[in-house]
Amino acid sequence: MEALDILDSLNEMTVFYEPIFSADSHSIVAYEVSGKLTVDDKTIDIIDFTYDSTMPEDLRKEVELYLIDKALSETKDALKEYYLYLPCNPNLFMTDIGDAYFQTIKKNVDESLLSKIYLVIPAHKYEGEAEDLHHPIRYMKTYGVKIALDEIGKDSNLDQILMLEPAVLIINISQLNYDAWGSQNPVFTAIQNLAIKMGAALMFHDIKTDYQLHHAWKHGARYFKGEYLQKPSTQLNPKDALKERFRNDCKQFIATERKQLELKYEEMKKLKRNISTIVEQSKIQSNDVESLLALARKLNQYAFRFYICNEEGFQISPNIVRKNGEWVVEEEALGKNWSWRPYFLLNIIKLKDDAKGELSNIYSDIKTGELTRTFSMKLDDDEYLFVDISHDYLYEHNLLI
């Protein structure tokens, strides 16, 4: 395929708009732009073409700018109602530090509506320094233009995300499975937390089934797109076109989630109550190994490890650990301090006023690597018991979610 053939055919380019749905309004709030061009009976996906390094850089940039220009000229009257997500190859963008892209946008969009424009940038495809990309982006953001970082995943650079300060993080729904990048994956959790701290929204795309839509909704998506909702089209649809269907789907998700949460809450209450009762009925002392082993036998179905700390976080008992079905004593843990752990001291303060104890969120145990929760409760004389719950118990009682 020759460059001149592509240039001669640009006016035949077709722009497609994929609707983006909002979790709060259940309506279409934006459209993401893509394009196709047929040259010599071969159809080119414009976004894929812009990353084809076998084609001249200036040609690829001209094609992407043509797509942006055409999309904006077709939709400028709709920007009062919708946001528009425009493709942006960061390597082409930086050939003139973003000026051509910004001028193309300003030519078509009134300054009062620039806040309706998002540049969709797959940051991991950028071949330069993130700091260099940050400067023109920051300049455009002063005019209201926003950034959506695409293809966020397990290989994403969190420092780069933080530097670019995107308004939206776009994640492919296929990554939300336990074989690839599940919801308990530390990177996914870190990205969720980072998004919250930055005030960025999560968008999940490529949604093909109601299950995937539910999965995205459950994992904090504010925005959704994919063929299950609506395929890309050459036309913009009314914002409430699928509102009733989407709302009904969400009502089902809410009902399912509430039931699961209620069951989970009851299981957590039962676990806390059972362990508290066992401990209260046991006469344990932090320096009496026999009393600790007696407690261990009573906790056999619940725990794989426990220990006692003082209110400063110093461990005043050995670890009592179950190994190969037997409880063993690890004296080397005596005297270690755990106050450096996030929320440790805050948890101690809470336990002073809560006789029922606390059950932590899910986390990966540093030694075993397995998912666990820790139950903690106040004993007498400013001592605090920490019981690490076994993965098997959590799994059997649906407490791993």
Side-chain angles (χ1 to χ4, degrees):
M1 188 179 300
E2 298 295 330
L4 285 176
D5 294 333
I6 294 173
L7 289 174
D8 289 342
S9 304
L10 280 183
N11 62 345
E12 298 174 22
M13 183 186 296
T14 303
V15 183
F16 290 90
Y17 303 94
E18 183 172 13
I20 295 169
F21 290 79
S22 167
D24 43 28
S25 67
H26 300 144
S27 59
I28 299 171
V29 294
Y31 284 90
E32 182 164 353
V33 169
S34 61
K36 293 188 185 297
L37 179 63
T38 301
V39 181
D40 296 333
D41 296 324
K42 181 177 181 181
T43 300
I44 304 169
D45 180 291
I46 299 301
I47 295 176
D48 289 344
F49 176 80
T50 67
Y51 291 95
D52 183 356
S53 59
T54 65
M55 302 301 290
E57 185 179 77
D58 57 347
L59 171 65
R60 290 185 283 133
K61 181 175 180 178
E62 184 170 350
V63 169
E64 184 161 75
L65 287 171
Y66 188 92
L67 171 62
I68 292 172
D69 185 62
K70 187 170 185 180
L72 289 172
S73 66
E74 290 180 353
T75 60
K76 61 175 63 177
D77 293 335
L79 286 178
K80 292 179 180 179
E81 188 172 12
Y82 301 110
Y83 293 90
L84 201 64
Y85 285 65
L86 301 173
C88 179
N89 180 326
N91 302 303
L92 304 178
F93 176 85
M94 286 299 292
T95 55
D96 63 355
I97 320 181
D99 185 61
Y101 286 78
F102 193 34
Q103 295 306 323
T104 301
I105 293 170
K106 284 175 60 178
K107 182 185 78 172
N108 288 282
V109 181
D110 186 88
E111 191 167 327
S112 64
L113 294 174
L114 287 176
S115 61
K116 294 284 191 166
I117 302 299
Y118 285 79
L119 287 181
V120 180
I121 299 176
H124 74 284
K125 291 185 177 179
Y126 178 52
E127 297 168 357
E129 295 293 329
E131 189 171 346
D132 294 335
L133 181 60
H134 172 241
H135 293 301
I137 284 177
R138 184 173 60 181
Y139 173 74
M140 293 178 71
K141 285 164 75 173
T142 63
Y143 285 86
V145 177
K146 298 179 177 67
I147 301 300
L149 287 188
D150 198 6
E151 301 182 30
I152 299 297
K154 61 184 188 314
D155 297 322
S156 295
N157 184 318
L158 299 187
D159 289 336
Q160 188 181 58
I161 293 173
L162 189 60
M163 179 183 294
L164 296 177
E165 297 181 316
V168 174
L169 299 178
I170 305 175
I171 300 169
N172 191 312
I173 189 64
S174 66
Q175 294 193 79
L176 265 186
N177 66 73
Y178 287 93
D179 294 326
W181 188 43
S183 61
Q184 299 299 344
N185 184 292
V187 178
F188 179 75
T189 303
I191 287 173
Q192 280 186 311
N193 292 336
L194 188 60
I196 291 169
K197 289 181 179 179
M198 292 191 304
L202 294 180
M203 182 196 299
F204 288 87
H205 76 97
D206 203 25
I207 295 171
K208 297 176 180 176
T209 66
D210 59 346
Y211 169 77
Q212 289 180 329
L213 180 63
H214 185 182
H215 213 38
W217 177 86
K218 182 176 180 178
H219 289 95
R222 183 175 184 183
Y223 301 119
F224 314 79
K225 66 186 181 77
E227 64 181 50
Y228 173 75
L229 293 164
Q230 204 166 76
K231 293 181 178 180
S233 169
T234 57
Q235 303 294 323
L236 303 186
N237 295 310
K239 64 187 308 179
D240 292 334
L242 291 178
K243 184 170 186 174
E244 198 60 33
R245 188 191 116 190
F246 190 15
R247 178 156 291 186
N248 287 335
D249 280 344
C250 286
K251 284 181 179 179
Q252 291 180 9
F253 302 159
I254 293 166
T256 301
E257 196 66 17
R258 283 190 62 173
K259 185 176 181 180
Q260 289 180 347
L261 288 173
E262 286 167 358
L263 291 172
K264 175 181 169 182
Y265 180 66
E266 288 303 315
E267 284 290 349
M268 291 172 73
K269 282 203 307 183
K270 180 181 175 182
L271 174 61
K272 291 165 64 174
R273 182 173 63 249
N274 288 349
I275 295 180
S276 295
T277 300
I278 290 171
V279 173
E280 288 165 0
Q281 293 175 350
S282 304
K283 299 184 181 297
I284 61 170
Q285 297 180 19
S286 57
N287 58 357
D288 182 356
V289 170
E290 289 305 316
S291 70
L292 298 178
L293 287 173
L295 173 62
R297 289 187 285 272
K298 295 177 184 178
L299 293 176
N300 203 56
Q301 74 176 100
Y302 304 105
F304 71 93
R305 178 176 57 217
F306 67 86
Y307 52 93
I308 300 171
C309 291
N310 64 19
E311 64 180 4
E312 294 177 324
F314 288 98
Q315 192 163 328
I316 56 176
S317 81
N319 281 344
I320 308 300
V321 184
R322 191 173 64 207
K323 294 182 177 180
N324 300 319
E326 300 291 330
W327 288 97
V328 299
V329 178
E330 293 181 345
E331 297 283 356
E332 62 270 21
L334 271 166
K336 289 188 175 181
N337 185 269
W338 304 110
S339 61
W340 57 269
R341 285 179 169 172
Y343 312 115
F344 182 93
L345 293 178
L346 178 60
N347 194 32
I348 292 294
I349 292 170
K350 288 181 179 179
L351 291 174
K352 284 187 175 183
D353 296 324
D354 185 2
K356 297 178 182 178
E358 294 278 341
L359 190 63
S360 76
N361 293 327
I362 289 287
Y363 67 95
S364 295
D365 183 71
I366 199 167
K367 283 192 174 181
T368 67
E370 290 192 332
L371 297 176
T372 185
R373 294 177 184 266
T374 295
F375 173 77
S376 49
M377 65 179 289
K378 187 179 185 303
L379 304 175
D380 295 332
D381 302 321
D382 294 325
E383 294 183 355
Y384 299 85
L385 174 69
F386 296 87
V387 181
D388 295 331
I389 310 302
S390 72
H391 182 277
D392 287 347
Y393 182 90
L394 295 174
Y395 178 79
E396 290 167 7
H397 294 81
N398 295 317
L399 291 176
L400 284 174
I401 55 174

